[in-house]
């Protein structure tokens, strides 16, 4: 299975509970504002939540192996908390999303997320949770669009896997709208995949077919 197919669910899930961490940071005593600010930065949130997700997978591995529905609930819950579905959906739709209603974009984003997690979520169980996460840098995106957090998954006996998170402020919290594994963009991958479908069908129809499994989101394209 191509690397992006195996890493994408983890990369998505690993940064998804950031608002909870941000709230925790903001709730710290006023006597330590510098520490709170550092803990609430995008890079620190990615690190903390990557480690938390890896720990959860290891702690609940036996349960998740027996009960795939529980695994899907865990992944979906993480995804719902952090990923900016609507903004990411507009990026994936590209030119096809110009003038589209918010309802149509939301339907497409929800269907894409559900299809991805249903198809690739179980691959999380294949991971060696002794992986370590290293943050390399945090840099602003052009035109003030947000920040890029560059990280690596460090594997024993293997080359590091570069994973970048593109994040933006939404509703007062940092949210992920694109993930890049070894330079391969989640947004670009699916924009290219769905371009031909969207040339022939409406956004609503593609969303229905994604939800029904008639179209599959293929992270290995």
């Amino acid at each position: 299975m191509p690397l992006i197919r195996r890493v994408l669910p983890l990369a998505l899930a690993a940064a998804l509970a950031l608002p909870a961490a941000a709230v925790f940071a903001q709730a710290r005593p006023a006597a330590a504002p510098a520490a709170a600010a550092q803990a609430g930065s995008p890079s620190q949130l990615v690190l903390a939540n990557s480690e938390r997700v890896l720990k959860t997978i290891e702690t609940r591995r036996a349960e998740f192996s027996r009960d795939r529905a529980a695994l899907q609930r865990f992944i979906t819950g993480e995804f719902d908390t952090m990923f900016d579905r609507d903004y990411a959906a507009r990026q994936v739709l590209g030119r096809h999303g110009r003038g589209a209603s918010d309802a149509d974009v939301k339907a497409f984003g929800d269907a894409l997320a559900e299809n991805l997690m249903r198809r690739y979520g179980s691959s999380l169980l294949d991971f060696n949770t002794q992986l370590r996460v290293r943050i390399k840098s945090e840099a602003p995106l052009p035109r003030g669009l947000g920040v890029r957090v560059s990280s690596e998954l460090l594997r024993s006996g293997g080359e590091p896997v570069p994973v970048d998170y593109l994040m933006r402020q939404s509703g007062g919290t940092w949210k992920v709208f694109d993930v890049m594994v070894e330079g391969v963009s989640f947004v670009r991958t699916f924009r290219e995949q769905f371009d031909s479908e969207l040339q022939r069908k409406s956004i609503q129809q593609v969303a229905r077919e994604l939800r029904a499994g008639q179209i599959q989101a293929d992270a290995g394209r």
Side-chain angles (χ1 to χ4, degrees), residues 48-180:
N49 288 280
S50 298
E51 292 174 343
R52 184 189 59 76
V53 168
L54 287 168
K55 182 177 180 179
T56 300
I57 293 167
E58 184 59 31
T59 302
R60 301 179 63 184
R61 184 183 294 278
E63 174 196 353
F64 288 157
S65 297
R66 292 191 308 268
D67 186 353
R68 295 307 172 93
L71 174 62
Q72 289 298 323
R73 287 193 298 272
F74 167 68
I75 298 168
T76 301
E78 299 291 337
F79 196 92
D80 286 344
T81 302
M82 178 55 198
F83 209 78
D84 194 335
R85 288 194 190 195
D86 294 352
Y87 187 78
R90 283 203 179 272
Q91 305 309 302
V92 171
L93 288 168
R95 61 192 176 93
H96 303 289
R98 293 172 191 161
S101 69
D102 291 344
D104 285 349
V105 172
K106 183 179 188 306
F108 177 79
D110 289 348
L112 177 59
E114 290 169 17
N115 190 285
L116 271 174
M117 295 300 101
R118 184 169 64 243
R119 190 166 188 209
Y120 296 116
S122 294
S123 66
L124 283 170
L125 297 178
D126 298 332
F127 267 86
N128 174 1
T129 51
Q130 300 308 308
L131 288 168
R132 291 184 298 115
V133 180
R134 178 171 65 193
I135 301 297
K136 295 175 61 181
S137 65
E138 177 183 316
L141 293 171
R143 304 188 304 280
L145 294 179
V147 299
R148 177 196 295 261
V149 176
S150 297
S151 71
E152 289 180 330
L153 291 176
L154 305 178
R155 304 176 291 170
S156 177
E159 291 295 317
V161 180
V163 181
D164 289 359
Y165 298 93
L166 305 190
M167 303 174 69
R168 65 191 288 265
Q169 283 263 335
S170 178
T173 61
W174 285 103
K175 293 195 174 186
V176 174
F177 66 89
D178 195 8
V179 177
M180 303 176 70

Side-chain angles (χ1 to χ4, degrees), residues 107-108 110-120 193-194 197 201 204-218:
F108 177 79
D110 289 348
L112 177 59
E114 290 169 17
N115 190 285
L116 271 174
M117 295 300 101
R118 184 169 64 243
R119 190 166 188 209
Y120 296 116
Q193 178 183 351
F194 292 112
E197 296 284 349
K201 305 170 186 175
Q204 300 98 313
Q205 185 177 353
V206 172
R208 284 195 300 269
E209 292 180 5
L210 268 170
R211 196 178 297 276
Q214 295 170 324
I215 301 174
Q216 297 291 347
D218 186 354

Side-chain angles (χ1 to χ4, degrees), residues 4-32:
I4 188 172
R5 292 187 184 186
R6 292 187 290 109
V7 175
L8 183 60
L10 176 60
L12 292 176
L16 298 185
L18 304 193
V23 170
F24 175 77
Q26 291 164 4
R28 292 187 179 195

